[in-house]
Amino acid sequence: MTDLAMSPSAAAVAAPEVAAVADSVMGLVRAFTRARARMLAAAATDVEWSAHLLLKQIRADGPARAASLSDALRADPSTVSRQVSTLVKDGLLERRPDPDDGRASLLALTAKAEALLAEHDQKRMERFAEMLDGWSEADLRRFATMLSRFTDAFESAHGSWFKDAEHPAGSSN
């Protein structure tokens, strides 16, 4: 099949620019994995990574039920329940009555959690500012726009990558 006869998808797969992006993303994933391992080791007494995500979710959306957090984070409810228990015990979350259902409770950040998240945000901004030192404002804006566009495309596309694995050829599903 010639390039002229290739479908747009097949032509995109063959493009060296696509391969360069795929290779760069995989390199970035490996770098993030190593950085995450170093951060977790350095923060042995700090909040674990997944619990930090839970705190950030509550900060973004406001007080929520544990089931809503499980859905938002695409996490197993029992895992979220264990994390919530630990975060409540550590004084980072508090349970409040749900005004819509007195039998249920909402999980809310405490002042201690707000301070912890603010400290983490400050450290993250310092690290990124150091890493991006020397980039022009135009380059930073362009990179942020393109990275956001890529992230949106990735989020939209990655679910379909696994459909074949869920329903192999010849299966009745």
Side-chain angles (χ1 to χ4, degrees):
M1 181 181 270
T2 68
D3 281 348
L4 295 174
M6 292 174 88
S7 72
S9 296
V13 169
E17 297 84 0
V18 172
V21 169
D23 290 345
S24 292
V25 168
M26 293 313 300
L28 184 60
V29 167
R30 286 189 296 275
F32 278 150
T33 301
R34 288 189 304 271
R36 180 176 181 250
R38 287 192 302 270
M39 284 188 290
L40 289 172
T45 61
D46 203 352
V47 176
E48 69 177 51
W49 186 271
S50 54
H52 184 81
L53 295 176
L54 192 145
L55 294 174
K56 288 185 74 157
Q57 185 70 40
I58 294 171
R59 181 174 66 180
D61 294 344
R65 290 183 181 184
S68 298
L69 291 169
S70 296
D71 291 344
L73 296 169
R74 296 181 180 139
D76 183 82
S78 64
T79 301
V80 169
S81 178
R82 281 191 302 277
Q83 290 171 334
V84 164
S85 293
T86 300
L87 293 169
V88 167
K89 181 178 70 77
D90 292 345
L92 296 167
L93 285 180
E94 63 184 12
R95 296 179 192 276
R96 296 181 181 164
D98 185 337
D100 297 330
D101 182 352
R103 299 167 296 169
S105 63
L106 296 177
L107 299 162
L109 299 180
T110 64
K112 181 178 176 180
E114 294 282 4
L116 178 79
L117 290 171
E119 179 185 340
H120 286 191
D121 289 345
Q122 178 65 32
K123 287 178 183 176
R124 184 184 65 179
M125 287 299 115
E126 288 170 2
R127 287 183 185 116
F128 272 84
E130 182 180 310
M131 180 175 48
L132 298 169
D133 187 41
W135 288 44
S136 71
E137 286 184 31
D139 283 349
L140 288 170
R141 279 192 301 276
R142 189 171 27 258
F143 181 67
T145 299
M146 298 303 290
L147 187 57
S148 179
R149 182 176 167 193
F150 175 81
T151 301
D152 291 346
F154 182 85
E155 285 288 328
S156 295
H158 86 276
S160 66
W161 296 351
F162 303 105
K163 286 184 180 165
D164 291 339
E166 293 170 3
H167 304 289
S171 75
S172 59
N173 290 353

